[in-house]
Amino acid sequence: MQVKVINKSNNELPAYQTQSAAGLDLRANLDEPINLKPMQRMLVSTGLFMELPEGYEAQIRPRSGLAFKHGITVLNSPGTIDADYRGEIKILLVNLSDESFLIESGERVAQMVISKHEQIDWELVETLEDSKRSAGGFGSTG
């Protein structure tokens, strides 16, 4: 699938790091480093703008290495970028560790997965078909 992109950053375009990777690594595009303090959240610029085809979304997810090693994650994970959004892709990062973390320009800070989706039409009804799980909530399946 071809996706139109404008790259106003000093970084290369996001790329898959392995042949079977689902996510493209997104890099910070900064004028100066950001010192992300414990429990602080911040929008991190990427310098990227894109035009997704209708019926697709971009999901912004944490990078597992940053999350495990440094406690850095995407706060609204996964964040959704809709096909009709044309603004800059920004990453909402949060530092869940007890140490500050320095983000340099060009650092891989998140990953983006492109996913097909459907839209629904509601059908208002009075009852729903029963199922094996029924109304069982958290922990109800064992």
Side-chain angles (χ1 to χ4, degrees), residues 75-91:
L75 189 57
N76 60 328
S77 182
T80 294
I81 300 173
D82 296 309
D84 57 356
Y85 177 70
R86 298 293 184 269
E88 181 183 6
I89 298 170
K90 294 186 178 183
I91 312 303

Side-chain angles (χ1 to χ4, degrees), residues 8-61:
K8 293 187 178 181
S9 78
N10 295 321
N11 302 314
E12 58 196 47
L13 286 175
Y16 298 102
Q17 297 300 306
T18 65
Q19 182 178 349
S20 298
L24 300 137
D25 284 342
L26 296 174
R27 296 178 183 272
N29 182 52
L30 307 172
D31 293 329
E32 56 188 47
I34 293 172
N35 187 27
L36 194 60
K37 296 183 176 101
M39 300 309 295
Q40 183 181 17
R41 62 186 180 272
M42 186 169 294
L43 274 176
V44 177
S45 295
T46 66
L48 298 172
F49 303 74
M50 69 179 172
E51 181 180 330
L52 286 173
E54 192 169 321
Y56 288 85
E57 67 162 326
Q59 298 176 3
I60 306 302
R61 301 177 182 186

